[in-house]
Amino acid sequence: MHTDLGPVTALYPSLTTIVGAHCGGRPNFLAVAHLGVLNHGQPQYLCIGLNQAHHTNAGILENRQFSVCVPGEDLLAETDYVGLVSGKTTDKSGLFELFYGHLPAAPLIRRCPVNMECRLHERIVLGVHDIFIGELVATHADPAVLTGGKIDFAKVRPLLFDMPLKKYRGLGPVLGDCWSAGKALKRKETE
Ligand SMILES: Cc1cc2nc3c(=O)[nH]c(=O)nc-3n(C[C@H](O)[C@H](O)[C@H](O)COP(=O)(O)O)c2cc1C
């Protein structure tokens, strides 16, 4: 028998990201692991869930722009730090070397191998969270993490967020090919 844990979200591990925005005229960053891929067509949309207590929310609403940066394992301490302290009391703007793409209020982090810049499409208030839906404007990747022009997560070495055990985990080995490994079962079904 499975144990009924009650309404415990079990959608982990998830990707740990650093979200950036301009708050009161200066860049601010926070750790965000509650995020999702939405319309995987054109335009592409993604969403992030930010507790309304955070400093960053007002900056996203003010400028209608934000970044979603993917740190590698080497940025574990910095990622945790921006998830521990608030821009309300601590200036986090000098922590990273920054660059900008198309959007002047979506700060991108040089040391993050992958950075996405988003235009705010919509904010949905859900309980104590703001769900920010961003339209993806551009994705910037360090050539060192590309294989055949595509982002290779084995090279990114992302931090995976394990909420139940409060741990950062690393990526494991490749286990199979998507849209391919199930073909044997599909054949069996149609036999
Ligand atoms: C690994 C990690 C993941 C986090 N994910 C989220 C998240 O998805 N949503 C959220 O609202 N807060 C999340 N937090 C908490 C915020 O990053 C944290 O409260 C931060 O200090 C808020 O910064 P700000 O007040 O400058 O915006 C996370 C913290 C950590 C350490």
Side-chain angles (χ1 to χ4, degrees):
M1 271 282 273
H2 283 52
T3 304
D4 182 348
L5 300 176
V8 170
T9 301
L11 298 179
Y12 303 103
S14 58
L15 189 66
T16 311
T17 67
I18 301 175
V19 166
H22 278 201
C23 304
R26 76 174 180 223
N28 190 62
F29 299 94
L30 83 165
V32 172
H34 292 158
L35 72 175
V37 180
L38 297 178
N39 185 37
H40 189 66
Q42 287 303 329
Q44 297 226 352
Y45 295 107
L46 53 79
C47 68
I48 55 172
L50 300 196
N51 191 300
Q52 283 159 12
H54 297 333
H55 185 60
T56 312
N57 303 39
I60 296 177
L61 286 169
E62 184 192 334
N63 298 297
R64 301 191 66 82
Q65 298 176 6
F66 61 95
S67 61
V68 181
C69 311
V70 183
E73 290 176 10
D74 60 320
L75 282 181
L76 190 150
E78 288 84 350
T79 304
D80 200 58
Y81 171 74
V82 298
L84 276 171
V85 300
S86 175
K88 283 180 183 163
T89 50
T90 307
D91 179 0
K92 296 183 259 186
S93 65
L95 190 64
F96 302 110
E97 188 193 329
L98 306 179
F99 68 103
Y100 289 84
H102 304 267
L103 306 177
L108 309 175
I109 299 172
R110 186 79 61 195
R111 280 185 67 199
C112 282
V114 179
N115 290 272
M116 289 165 272
E117 39 180 342
C118 299
R119 199 173 279 124
L120 179 63
H121 174 72
E122 193 178 342
R123 188 262 309 243
I124 297 168
V125 176
L126 195 63
V128 294
H129 276 67
D130 285 325
I131 309 300
F132 292 110
I133 299 177
E135 179 186 338
L136 198 51
V137 171
T139 299
H140 305 264
D142 180 341
V145 301
L146 300 180
T147 297
K150 302 236 164 94
I151 297 167
D152 183 341
F153 278 95
K155 294 177 178 171
V156 172
R157 295 162 69 87
L159 300 165
L160 303 183
F161 177 63
D162 177 341
M163 179 82 157
L165 300 185
K166 294 192 172 65
K167 303 283 182 209
Y168 296 105
R169 293 183 177 277
L171 202 64
V174 169
L175 302 177
D177 291 327
C178 308
W179 291 289
S180 173
K183 282 182 185 164
L185 292 179
K186 202 175 160 191
R187 268 197 298 275
K188 228 187 245 171
E189 212 176 62
T190 50
E191 266 165 20

